[in-house]
Amino acid sequence: MTTAWFDEESRLTPDELQTMTFPMSRLGRRGYEEEPVREFLGAVRAEFVRLVNERASLWQEVQRLRRRILDGEAGGDQNSVLFGEADAHVHAVRILSTAQVTADRYVADAQAYSSRVTEEARLRRDDIMREAQQHSDMVLEEAHARARDAAVAALNGAAPPQTDHERRAAQAELAYLRTYSDVYRAHLRAYTEGVLHSIEDWERREAASLKEVAHGPDRRSIS
Amino acid sequence: MPRSVIRVRRRRKAKPLDIARLRESFARVAIHGDELPLFFYSDLFIKHPEVRELFPVSMTTQRAHLVDALVKIVSRVDSVNELAEFLQGLGRDHRKFGAAAGHYDAVGASLLATLEHFSGPAWTPELAADWKAAYELIASVMTEAAREDEQQRPAWWRGTVVAHERRTFDVSVLSVRPEPRMDYLPGQSVAIESPSRPKLWRYYSMASAPRPDGLLEFHIRLIDGGAVSMALTSSMIADTELRLGPPVGALTLSSPAPGRDLLLVAGSTGLAPLKAILEQVAALQEPPRVHLFFGARTADGLYDLDSLEKMNAQCPWLTVTPAVSADPRFAGETGSLPDVVARHGDWSGHDAYLAGPSEMVQEAVARLASAGMAQDQIHIEDFGWSEP
């Protein structure tokens, strides 16, 4: 049957038509909710198309069998009654159609999956960027507040007495912070480069495998 | 390029086609939905396996296209000129897919077999003869247009990616060298096929006016799950040889210029065709005043603002207004692009060119029209028969 790839279990039955109920629409409006009714009509339509298709292919089959019987009676060949050339062709068309629809489904699934993954990656990236932005805003604001406080303190009070010892300690701390930030930056760079390398490596391998599969040596000669 | 004169001739002896009967027959088979093209392609591939190579792995869109084309043909069969134009476009368009004159007979045979299969008892020798005559007419218009096109340009251009630059997370700018050189009008597009996604073509606009070095610039936005855009934004795209279809599209400056000032509205990579037009305007002796709105969701998405601002500073006739729709912290204009454009006053004396996400374009067009802009002042991309 041409309809072999349809899910047999999801087919509508006359019973379902009889017992189908729809939710009532919200207060103040009369009748059923529109969406479930539309959905149901869609299912009825699909079932209708299937029936029409089945009927057409059954009709074809009857016609062919009729012809075979007439031809078979004339020629006396029993085999030609069952397996005519036209039968074989229609059979082949059906098999190929089923295979094509299956392939289409695989492609559509892969596409949907890839779409979901990219979308998630994009949303995640937006989140990270937003968080980073908020964080940097916060840090900046804090720094501004401190600078303000320091300026106010400097204006109000006399400059704090700074002993040699205190100055040396402050310088040491500054040097430590500089080194720390250098080391941290180097780490971050190494990490980012590592990630980029693995992405590039991954893309290279993807490209190579695609070339092998979809773009083999005999591809070039086409058209 | 001059559109070829329409030449639809019936063979002298042929009886006139019974159009009502063809329509009725088509309506009867059309209720079979997707089964119709499914049967057609399977029949074609079994009889001529070599033709399968011309199609992509997934045939879902292909089947929809076939039915769309048939519906268009059957519904326009009364207006011969309009139909001829559609078919000529179809014929030219199929050259880049590798369709050859010899394929037309194979397609005709499978089309008839399909119609017969689904017509059931309604299939008669007269109906078969009518469909055969109708198809031969269609095929002759298509092949003739393809043949004429062949005299003028290649079926496709080889395009080598000479540079690529990732501007944002999801927008890349490609520089492509076409061979041979390609002539086009600023605002036009080409279909692109990447070698890693065989037989999948997507339209992209050239983002600059034709350059002395012949290089083409494309702005590619990564679509979630988009097979072709993913291949084109990959960092491995350098040195790849793409295939480019012929330049198409009517989002081009009217000639002769109506003398009105220009309003350009670009959402995201819809900037590409409008930037090409902008460059064309910049080369005019007396450029009209141009106001370009460039919108994106976030400031990050204004991927080409640097070069636009440079132009803005150099050209006294140009105003560039960047706008961001999903980031209220943005220092410039915020809100949806159609809102921002509407806020900037009365555009009824302008010629408007719009490109970008289709909802944005539709919304902006509706707003401009309701604000009194005439239909012929509004220009948007319309691929018509060649919509990918």
Side-chain angles (χ1 to χ4, degrees), chain A residues 2 5 52-53 56 59-60 89 92-93 96-97 100-101 104 107 111 114-115 118-119 122 125 133 137 203-204 210 215 222, chain B residues 31-32 35 38-39 42-43 46 52-53 57-60 63 116-117 120-121 169 195 197 224-225 227 234-236 300 329:
Chain A
T2 359
W5 55 84
V52 166
N53 282 323
W59 187 89
Q60 291 285 338
H89 179 69
V93 165
L96 185 58
S97 297
Q100 181 63 57
V101 171
D104 292 351
V107 173
Q111 199 97 41
S114 128
S115 167
T118 347
E119 193 188 356
R122 192 165 43 74
R125 167 217 171 242
Q133 184 77 48
D137 284 355
E203 279 187 320
R204 229 188 318 274
L210 276 170
H215 204 251
I222 293 155
Chain B
I31 59 168
H32 292 276
E35 300 270 322
L38 199 52
F39 188 99
S42 297
D43 186 85
I46 286 170
R52 183 63 180 88
E53 294 277 83
V57 177
S58 169
M59 293 289 293
T60 311
R63 287 198 296 276
E116 178 178 0
H117 180 82
F169 176 72
R197 302 289 187 272
D224 289 346
S234 154
S235 65
M236 303 308 297
D300 179 51
R329 305 152 39 101

Short mmCIF file of all heavy atoms in Angstrom, two decimals, chain A residues 2 5 52-53 56 59-60 89 92-93 96-97 100-101 104 107 111 114-115 118-119 122 125 133 137 203-204 210 215 222, chain B residues 31-32 35 38-39 42-43 46 52-53 57-60 63 116-117 120-121 169 195 197 224-225 227 234-236 300 329:
data_model
loop_
_atom_site.label_atom_id
_atom_site.label_comp_id
_atom_site.label_asym_id
_atom_site.label_seq_id
_atom_site.Cartn_x
_atom_site.Cartn_y
_atom_site.Cartn_z
N THR A 2 0.39 2.26 -0.65
CA THR A 2 1.12 3.51 -0.70
C THR A 2 1.21 4.15 0.66
O THR A 2 2.03 5.00 0.91
CB THR A 2 0.43 4.50 -1.65
OG1 THR A 2 -0.70 3.88 -2.20
CG2 THR A 2 1.39 4.97 -2.70
N TRP A 5 3.92 3.81 5.23
CA TRP A 5 4.77 4.48 6.23
C TRP A 5 3.96 5.29 7.25
O TRP A 5 4.51 5.86 8.15
CB TRP A 5 5.78 5.39 5.53
CG TRP A 5 5.10 6.36 4.63
CD1 TRP A 5 4.56 7.55 4.96
CD2 TRP A 5 4.87 6.16 3.25
NE1 TRP A 5 3.99 8.13 3.89
CE2 TRP A 5 4.17 7.31 2.81
CE3 TRP A 5 5.18 5.16 2.33
CZ2 TRP A 5 3.78 7.46 1.49
CZ3 TRP A 5 4.78 5.32 1.03
CH2 TRP A 5 4.10 6.45 0.61
N VAL A 52 -8.56 8.27 0.28
CA VAL A 52 -8.64 8.53 -1.15
C VAL A 52 -7.48 7.84 -1.87
O VAL A 52 -7.65 7.21 -2.92
CB VAL A 52 -8.60 10.05 -1.40
CG1 VAL A 52 -8.34 10.35 -2.86
CG2 VAL A 52 -9.91 10.68 -0.98
N ASN A 53 -6.29 7.93 -1.27
CA ASN A 53 -5.12 7.29 -1.88
C ASN A 53 -5.25 5.79 -1.92
O ASN A 53 -4.93 5.14 -2.92
CB ASN A 53 -3.86 7.67 -1.11
CG ASN A 53 -3.40 9.05 -1.47
OD1 ASN A 53 -3.50 9.44 -2.62
ND2 ASN A 53 -2.94 9.81 -0.49
N ALA A 56 -7.60 4.84 -4.63
CA ALA A 56 -7.02 4.96 -5.97
C ALA A 56 -6.10 3.78 -6.26
O ALA A 56 -6.14 3.19 -7.34
CB ALA A 56 -6.27 6.27 -6.10
N TRP A 59 -7.99 0.66 -6.80
CA TRP A 59 -8.63 0.67 -8.12
C TRP A 59 -7.62 0.26 -9.19
O TRP A 59 -7.91 -0.55 -10.06
CB TRP A 59 -9.20 2.05 -8.42
CG TRP A 59 -10.02 2.06 -9.67
CD1 TRP A 59 -11.35 1.80 -9.78
CD2 TRP A 59 -9.54 2.31 -11.00
NE1 TRP A 59 -11.73 1.87 -11.08
CE2 TRP A 59 -10.65 2.17 -11.87
CE3 TRP A 59 -8.30 2.62 -11.52
CZ2 TRP A 59 -10.55 2.35 -13.23
CZ3 TRP A 59 -8.19 2.79 -12.89
CH2 TRP A 59 -9.30 2.65 -13.74
N GLN A 60 -6.40 0.84 -9.06
CA GLN A 60 -5.33 0.49 -10.01
C GLN A 60 -5.08 -1.02 -9.98
O GLN A 60 -4.91 -1.66 -11.01
CB GLN A 60 -4.03 1.21 -9.65
CG GLN A 60 -4.07 2.70 -9.86
CD GLN A 60 -3.98 3.04 -11.33
OE1 GLN A 60 -3.50 2.23 -12.12
NE2 GLN A 60 -4.48 4.21 -11.70
N HIS A 89 6.63 -2.58 -11.64
CA HIS A 89 7.04 -1.18 -11.64
C HIS A 89 6.35 -0.41 -10.52
O HIS A 89 7.00 0.30 -9.76
CB HIS A 89 6.73 -0.54 -12.99
CG HIS A 89 7.10 0.90 -13.06
ND1 HIS A 89 8.43 1.31 -13.05
CD2 HIS A 89 6.36 2.03 -13.06
CE1 HIS A 89 8.47 2.63 -13.07
NE2 HIS A 89 7.23 3.09 -13.08
N ALA A 92 7.89 -1.26 -7.36
CA ALA A 92 9.19 -0.61 -7.19
C ALA A 92 9.01 0.85 -6.81
O ALA A 92 9.70 1.38 -5.94
CB ALA A 92 10.00 -0.73 -8.48
N VAL A 93 8.03 1.51 -7.46
CA VAL A 93 7.77 2.93 -7.15
C VAL A 93 7.39 3.06 -5.67
O VAL A 93 7.87 3.95 -4.97
CB VAL A 93 6.63 3.48 -8.05
CG1 VAL A 93 6.10 4.81 -7.51
CG2 VAL A 93 7.14 3.67 -9.47
N LEU A 96 10.50 2.52 -3.44
CA LEU A 96 11.38 3.68 -3.48
C LEU A 96 10.75 4.86 -2.73
O LEU A 96 11.44 5.59 -2.02
CB LEU A 96 11.67 4.07 -4.94
CG LEU A 96 12.68 5.19 -5.11
CD1 LEU A 96 14.01 4.83 -4.45
CD2 LEU A 96 12.91 5.52 -6.58
N SER A 97 9.44 5.03 -2.88
CA SER A 97 8.76 6.13 -2.18
C SER A 97 8.91 5.97 -0.67
O SER A 97 9.21 6.94 0.04
CB SER A 97 7.27 6.15 -2.55
OG SER A 97 7.13 6.41 -3.92
N GLN A 100 12.39 6.83 0.30
CA GLN A 100 12.63 8.27 0.21
C GLN A 100 12.02 8.99 1.42
O GLN A 100 12.67 9.83 2.03
CB GLN A 100 12.03 8.83 -1.09
CG GLN A 100 12.25 10.32 -1.26
CD GLN A 100 13.73 10.68 -1.38
OE1 GLN A 100 14.42 10.18 -2.25
NE2 GLN A 100 14.22 11.52 -0.49
N VAL A 101 10.79 8.62 1.77
CA VAL A 101 10.14 9.28 2.90
C VAL A 101 10.90 8.98 4.19
O VAL A 101 11.05 9.85 5.06
CB VAL A 101 8.66 8.86 3.00
CG1 VAL A 101 8.04 9.36 4.29
CG2 VAL A 101 7.89 9.41 1.81
N ASP A 104 13.88 11.17 4.13
CA ASP A 104 13.47 12.55 4.42
C ASP A 104 13.29 12.75 5.92
O ASP A 104 13.64 13.79 6.46
CB ASP A 104 12.15 12.87 3.71
CG ASP A 104 12.31 12.91 2.20
OD1 ASP A 104 13.46 12.87 1.73
OD2 ASP A 104 11.29 12.97 1.49
N VAL A 107 16.66 13.05 7.64
CA VAL A 107 17.23 14.38 7.40
C VAL A 107 16.50 15.42 8.25
O VAL A 107 17.13 16.25 8.90
CB VAL A 107 17.16 14.75 5.90
CG1 VAL A 107 17.59 16.20 5.69
CG2 VAL A 107 18.03 13.82 5.08
N GLN A 111 18.10 17.69 11.11
CA GLN A 111 17.98 19.14 10.98
C GLN A 111 17.37 19.74 12.25
O GLN A 111 17.86 20.73 12.78
CB GLN A 111 17.06 19.44 9.80
CG GLN A 111 17.19 20.82 9.26
CD GLN A 111 18.12 20.85 8.07
OE1 GLN A 111 18.06 19.97 7.24
NE2 GLN A 111 18.97 21.83 8.00
N SER A 114 19.91 19.58 15.05
CA SER A 114 20.96 20.58 14.88
C SER A 114 20.41 21.97 15.18
O SER A 114 21.08 22.81 15.77
CB SER A 114 21.54 20.48 13.47
OG SER A 114 21.54 21.70 12.84
N SER A 115 19.16 22.19 14.79
CA SER A 115 18.53 23.48 15.05
C SER A 115 18.40 23.72 16.55
O SER A 115 18.68 24.81 17.05
CB SER A 115 17.17 23.50 14.37
OG SER A 115 16.42 24.57 14.83
N THR A 118 21.94 24.43 18.07
CA THR A 118 22.41 25.79 17.80
C THR A 118 21.63 26.81 18.60
O THR A 118 22.20 27.76 19.13
CB THR A 118 22.25 26.18 16.31
OG1 THR A 118 21.95 25.04 15.54
CG2 THR A 118 23.47 26.88 15.79
N GLU A 119 20.32 26.60 18.69
CA GLU A 119 19.51 27.56 19.42
C GLU A 119 19.92 27.59 20.89
O GLU A 119 20.10 28.66 21.47
CB GLU A 119 18.03 27.20 19.29
CG GLU A 119 17.14 28.33 19.75
CD GLU A 119 15.67 27.93 19.82
OE1 GLU A 119 15.37 26.78 19.43
OE2 GLU A 119 14.88 28.75 20.26
N ARG A 122 23.10 29.38 21.28
CA ARG A 122 22.95 30.83 21.15
C ARG A 122 22.35 31.42 22.43
O ARG A 122 22.83 32.45 22.93
CB ARG A 122 22.06 31.14 19.95
CG ARG A 122 22.06 32.59 19.54
CD ARG A 122 21.48 32.77 18.15
NE ARG A 122 20.30 31.97 17.92
CZ ARG A 122 19.10 32.25 18.44
NH1 ARG A 122 18.95 33.31 19.21
NH2 ARG A 122 18.07 31.48 18.18
N ARG A 125 24.89 31.41 25.15
CA ARG A 125 25.86 32.46 24.93
C ARG A 125 25.27 33.81 25.34
O ARG A 125 25.94 34.63 25.99
CB ARG A 125 26.25 32.49 23.45
CG ARG A 125 27.02 33.70 23.03
CD ARG A 125 26.58 34.11 21.64
NE ARG A 125 27.12 35.38 21.24
CZ ARG A 125 26.37 36.43 20.96
NH1 ARG A 125 25.06 36.36 21.07
NH2 ARG A 125 26.93 37.55 20.55
N GLN A 133 28.13 41.00 31.47
CA GLN A 133 27.84 42.42 31.41
C GLN A 133 27.41 42.93 32.78
O GLN A 133 27.92 43.94 33.27
CB GLN A 133 26.72 42.64 30.39
CG GLN A 133 26.36 44.08 30.14
CD GLN A 133 27.38 44.76 29.25
OE1 GLN A 133 27.75 44.21 28.21
NE2 GLN A 133 27.87 45.91 29.65
N ASP A 137 29.38 45.53 35.11
CA ASP A 137 28.71 46.74 35.58
C ASP A 137 28.87 46.90 37.08
O ASP A 137 29.17 47.98 37.59
CB ASP A 137 27.20 46.68 35.26
CG ASP A 137 26.95 46.95 33.79
OD1 ASP A 137 27.93 47.28 33.08
OD2 ASP A 137 25.79 46.82 33.35
N GLU A 203 35.95 21.10 13.38
CA GLU A 203 35.40 21.53 12.09
C GLU A 203 36.17 20.91 10.94
O GLU A 203 35.60 20.52 9.93
CB GLU A 203 35.43 23.06 11.98
CG GLU A 203 34.26 23.69 12.69
CD GLU A 203 34.18 25.19 12.46
OE1 GLU A 203 35.25 25.85 12.46
OE2 GLU A 203 33.09 25.71 12.27
N ARG A 204 37.53 20.82 11.11
CA ARG A 204 38.35 20.21 10.06
C ARG A 204 37.92 18.77 9.84
O ARG A 204 37.75 18.31 8.72
CB ARG A 204 39.82 20.26 10.46
CG ARG A 204 40.71 20.80 9.34
CD ARG A 204 42.19 20.66 9.68
NE ARG A 204 42.52 20.99 11.07
CZ ARG A 204 42.77 22.22 11.51
NH1 ARG A 204 42.72 23.25 10.71
NH2 ARG A 204 43.06 22.42 12.78
N LEU A 210 32.83 14.97 5.63
CA LEU A 210 31.78 15.32 4.66
C LEU A 210 32.30 15.13 3.25
O LEU A 210 31.61 14.64 2.37
CB LEU A 210 31.34 16.76 4.85
CG LEU A 210 30.28 16.96 5.93
CD1 LEU A 210 30.10 18.44 6.20
CD2 LEU A 210 28.96 16.34 5.49
N HIS A 215 30.94 13.90 -0.92
CA HIS A 215 31.65 14.60 -1.98
C HIS A 215 32.79 13.73 -2.46
O HIS A 215 33.89 14.19 -2.70
CB HIS A 215 32.14 15.93 -1.41
CG HIS A 215 32.37 16.95 -2.47
ND1 HIS A 215 33.60 17.37 -2.83
CD2 HIS A 215 31.48 17.60 -3.25
CE1 HIS A 215 33.47 18.27 -3.79
NE2 HIS A 215 32.20 18.41 -4.05
N ILE A 222 29.89 15.28 -11.88
CA ILE A 222 28.47 15.46 -12.16
C ILE A 222 28.17 16.85 -12.71
O ILE A 222 28.68 17.83 -12.22
CB ILE A 222 27.65 15.23 -10.89
CG1 ILE A 222 27.77 13.76 -10.54
CG2 ILE A 222 26.20 15.59 -11.10
CD1 ILE A 222 27.56 13.53 -9.09
N ILE B 31 -5.97 16.12 -4.88
CA ILE B 31 -6.38 15.76 -3.51
C ILE B 31 -5.49 14.66 -2.93
O ILE B 31 -5.54 14.39 -1.74
CB ILE B 31 -7.86 15.28 -3.44
CG1 ILE B 31 -8.06 14.08 -4.35
CG2 ILE B 31 -8.83 16.39 -3.77
CD1 ILE B 31 -9.39 13.38 -4.09
N HIS B 32 -4.64 14.06 -3.75
CA HIS B 32 -3.75 13.02 -3.22
C HIS B 32 -2.56 13.59 -2.48
O HIS B 32 -1.72 12.85 -1.97
CB HIS B 32 -3.29 12.10 -4.35
CG HIS B 32 -4.41 11.28 -4.92
ND1 HIS B 32 -4.80 10.10 -4.36
CD2 HIS B 32 -5.23 11.50 -5.97
CE1 HIS B 32 -5.83 9.62 -5.06
NE2 HIS B 32 -6.11 10.45 -6.03
N GLU B 35 1.40 12.40 -2.04
CA GLU B 35 1.55 11.13 -2.77
C GLU B 35 1.85 11.38 -4.25
O GLU B 35 2.53 10.58 -4.89
CB GLU B 35 0.25 10.33 -2.69
CG GLU B 35 -0.15 9.99 -1.28
CD GLU B 35 0.42 8.67 -0.84
OE1 GLU B 35 0.49 7.75 -1.66
OE2 GLU B 35 0.83 8.58 0.32
N LEU B 38 5.47 12.29 -4.77
CA LEU B 38 6.23 11.12 -4.31
C LEU B 38 6.25 10.05 -5.41
O LEU B 38 7.29 9.50 -5.76
CB LEU B 38 5.57 10.58 -3.04
CG LEU B 38 6.39 9.68 -2.13
CD1 LEU B 38 7.71 10.32 -1.77
CD2 LEU B 38 5.59 9.40 -0.86
N PHE B 39 5.09 9.79 -5.96
CA PHE B 39 4.98 8.82 -7.05
C PHE B 39 5.79 9.30 -8.26
O PHE B 39 6.55 8.54 -8.86
CB PHE B 39 3.51 8.63 -7.44
CG PHE B 39 3.29 7.51 -8.43
CD1 PHE B 39 2.86 6.27 -7.99
CD2 PHE B 39 3.49 7.70 -9.79
CE1 PHE B 39 2.65 5.23 -8.90
CE2 PHE B 39 3.29 6.67 -10.70
CZ PHE B 39 2.88 5.43 -10.25
N SER B 42 9.61 8.97 -7.69
CA SER B 42 10.03 7.56 -7.66
C SER B 42 9.99 6.96 -9.06
O SER B 42 10.89 6.24 -9.48
CB SER B 42 9.14 6.77 -6.71
OG SER B 42 9.28 7.26 -5.40
N ASP B 43 8.92 7.25 -9.79
CA ASP B 43 8.79 6.76 -11.16
C ASP B 43 9.95 7.26 -12.02
O ASP B 43 10.58 6.50 -12.75
CB ASP B 43 7.45 7.25 -11.73
CG ASP B 43 7.15 6.66 -13.10
OD1 ASP B 43 6.61 5.54 -13.14
OD2 ASP B 43 7.46 7.31 -14.12
N ILE B 46 13.31 5.58 -11.01
CA ILE B 46 13.42 4.16 -11.40
C ILE B 46 13.69 4.05 -12.90
O ILE B 46 14.54 3.28 -13.33
CB ILE B 46 12.14 3.40 -11.00
CG1 ILE B 46 12.14 3.20 -9.49
CG2 ILE B 46 12.07 2.06 -11.71
CD1 ILE B 46 10.84 2.67 -8.94
N ARG B 52 18.70 11.10 -10.45
CA ARG B 52 18.67 11.25 -8.99
C ARG B 52 19.79 12.14 -8.49
O ARG B 52 19.63 12.89 -7.51
CB ARG B 52 18.76 9.86 -8.33
CG ARG B 52 18.66 9.89 -6.79
CD ARG B 52 17.31 10.43 -6.36
NE ARG B 52 17.10 10.52 -4.93
CZ ARG B 52 17.42 11.56 -4.18
NH1 ARG B 52 18.00 12.61 -4.73
NH2 ARG B 52 17.17 11.57 -2.88
N GLU B 53 20.94 12.07 -9.17
CA GLU B 53 22.11 12.85 -8.78
C GLU B 53 21.87 14.36 -8.78
O GLU B 53 22.60 15.10 -8.15
CB GLU B 53 23.26 12.57 -9.77
CG GLU B 53 23.77 11.17 -9.72
CD GLU B 53 24.77 11.00 -8.59
OE1 GLU B 53 24.34 10.79 -7.44
OE2 GLU B 53 25.96 11.12 -8.87
N VAL B 57 19.55 15.09 -0.97
CA VAL B 57 19.21 13.86 -0.26
C VAL B 57 17.74 13.88 0.15
O VAL B 57 16.97 12.98 -0.18
CB VAL B 57 20.10 13.69 0.99
CG1 VAL B 57 19.68 12.45 1.77
CG2 VAL B 57 21.56 13.59 0.59
N SER B 58 17.36 14.94 0.88
CA SER B 58 15.96 15.04 1.30
C SER B 58 15.15 15.66 0.17
O SER B 58 15.52 16.68 -0.39
CB SER B 58 15.84 15.90 2.55
OG SER B 58 14.48 16.18 2.79
N MET B 59 14.02 15.05 -0.14
CA MET B 59 13.20 15.53 -1.26
C MET B 59 11.98 16.29 -0.78
O MET B 59 11.11 16.64 -1.58
CB MET B 59 12.77 14.33 -2.11
CG MET B 59 13.90 13.62 -2.84
SD MET B 59 14.56 14.61 -4.19
CE MET B 59 13.15 14.62 -5.29
N THR B 60 11.88 16.56 0.53
CA THR B 60 10.66 17.16 1.07
C THR B 60 10.31 18.48 0.37
O THR B 60 9.20 18.65 -0.12
CB THR B 60 10.81 17.39 2.58
OG1 THR B 60 11.30 16.19 3.16
CG2 THR B 60 9.49 17.73 3.20
N ARG B 63 9.44 18.15 -3.41
CA ARG B 63 8.08 17.71 -3.72
C ARG B 63 7.10 18.87 -3.61
O ARG B 63 6.22 19.04 -4.46
CB ARG B 63 7.66 16.57 -2.79
CG ARG B 63 8.35 15.27 -3.09
CD ARG B 63 7.63 14.10 -2.47
NE ARG B 63 7.61 14.13 -1.02
CZ ARG B 63 8.61 13.66 -0.27
NH1 ARG B 63 9.68 13.13 -0.83
NH2 ARG B 63 8.54 13.72 1.04
N GLU B 116 -1.87 9.50 -14.75
CA GLU B 116 -2.67 8.33 -15.08
C GLU B 116 -2.93 7.50 -13.82
O GLU B 116 -4.06 7.08 -13.55
CB GLU B 116 -1.94 7.48 -16.13
CG GLU B 116 -2.72 6.21 -16.48
CD GLU B 116 -2.06 5.37 -17.55
OE1 GLU B 116 -0.98 5.76 -18.03
OE2 GLU B 116 -2.63 4.32 -17.89
N HIS B 117 -1.86 7.31 -13.03
CA HIS B 117 -1.98 6.48 -11.84
C HIS B 117 -3.05 7.01 -10.89
O HIS B 117 -3.83 6.26 -10.33
CB HIS B 117 -0.63 6.40 -11.12
CG HIS B 117 -0.66 5.56 -9.89
ND1 HIS B 117 -0.55 4.20 -9.92
CD2 HIS B 117 -0.80 5.90 -8.59
CE1 HIS B 117 -0.61 3.73 -8.69
NE2 HIS B 117 -0.77 4.73 -7.86
N GLY B 120 -7.24 7.29 -12.08
CA GLY B 120 -8.15 6.15 -12.00
C GLY B 120 -9.01 6.06 -13.25
O GLY B 120 -8.53 6.29 -14.36
N PRO B 121 -10.30 5.77 -13.07
CA PRO B 121 -11.18 5.54 -14.22
C PRO B 121 -11.35 6.79 -15.09
O PRO B 121 -11.81 6.69 -16.22
CB PRO B 121 -12.51 5.14 -13.59
CG PRO B 121 -12.43 5.53 -12.16
CD PRO B 121 -10.99 5.60 -11.79
N PHE B 169 29.03 36.45 16.70
CA PHE B 169 28.79 35.03 16.95
C PHE B 169 28.12 34.36 15.75
O PHE B 169 28.46 33.26 15.37
CB PHE B 169 27.91 34.90 18.20
CG PHE B 169 27.51 33.49 18.53
CD1 PHE B 169 28.45 32.60 19.02
CD2 PHE B 169 26.21 33.08 18.35
CE1 PHE B 169 28.07 31.31 19.33
CE2 PHE B 169 25.83 31.79 18.67
CZ PHE B 169 26.77 30.91 19.15
N PRO B 195 29.99 23.01 -1.35
CA PRO B 195 30.32 21.61 -1.68
C PRO B 195 29.99 20.64 -0.54
O PRO B 195 29.80 19.46 -0.80
CB PRO B 195 31.83 21.66 -1.94
CG PRO B 195 32.30 22.93 -1.35
CD PRO B 195 31.16 23.88 -1.39
N ARG B 197 27.28 20.75 1.17
CA ARG B 197 25.82 20.54 1.21
C ARG B 197 25.33 20.44 -0.24
O ARG B 197 24.67 21.35 -0.74
CB ARG B 197 25.11 21.70 1.90
CG ARG B 197 25.54 21.96 3.33
CD ARG B 197 25.07 20.88 4.28
NE ARG B 197 25.35 21.25 5.65
CZ ARG B 197 26.51 20.98 6.28
NH1 ARG B 197 27.47 20.34 5.65
NH2 ARG B 197 26.68 21.34 7.53
N ASP B 224 19.60 28.92 12.90
CA ASP B 224 19.59 27.72 13.76
C ASP B 224 19.25 26.51 12.91
O ASP B 224 18.15 26.42 12.35
CB ASP B 224 18.56 27.87 14.87
CG ASP B 224 19.01 28.90 15.90
OD1 ASP B 224 20.19 29.27 15.87
OD2 ASP B 224 18.17 29.33 16.72
N GLY B 225 20.18 25.57 12.80
CA GLY B 225 19.92 24.35 12.05
C GLY B 225 19.95 24.54 10.54
O GLY B 225 19.67 23.61 9.80
N ALA B 227 21.14 24.34 7.09
CA ALA B 227 22.19 23.49 6.52
C ALA B 227 23.23 24.32 5.78
O ALA B 227 24.44 24.16 5.99
CB ALA B 227 21.56 22.47 5.59
N SER B 234 31.13 28.37 8.64
CA SER B 234 32.18 27.56 9.25
C SER B 234 33.54 28.22 9.05
O SER B 234 33.78 28.86 8.03
CB SER B 234 32.18 26.17 8.59
OG SER B 234 33.45 25.60 8.68
N SER B 235 34.41 28.05 10.03
CA SER B 235 35.73 28.70 9.91
C SER B 235 36.59 27.98 8.87
O SER B 235 37.67 28.43 8.53
CB SER B 235 36.43 28.73 11.26
OG SER B 235 36.71 27.41 11.67
N MET B 236 36.12 26.84 8.36
CA MET B 236 36.88 26.10 7.35
C MET B 236 36.50 26.49 5.93
O MET B 236 36.86 25.83 4.98
CB MET B 236 36.64 24.58 7.50
CG MET B 236 36.97 24.03 8.85
SD MET B 236 38.63 24.47 9.36
CE MET B 236 39.56 23.63 8.09
N ASP B 300 25.53 44.25 19.50
CA ASP B 300 26.48 43.30 18.95
C ASP B 300 26.09 42.89 17.52
O ASP B 300 26.93 42.60 16.69
CB ASP B 300 26.48 42.08 19.89
CG ASP B 300 27.40 40.99 19.41
OD1 ASP B 300 28.55 41.35 19.13
OD2 ASP B 300 26.96 39.84 19.32
N ARG B 329 19.50 49.30 26.98
CA ARG B 329 20.67 50.07 27.41
C ARG B 329 21.40 50.71 26.25
O ARG B 329 22.33 51.49 26.45
CB ARG B 329 21.64 49.17 28.18
CG ARG B 329 21.03 48.46 29.36
CD ARG B 329 21.77 47.16 29.62
NE ARG B 329 23.21 47.31 29.42
CZ ARG B 329 24.08 47.46 30.40
NH1 ARG B 329 23.66 47.44 31.63
NH2 ARG B 329 25.35 47.59 30.14
#
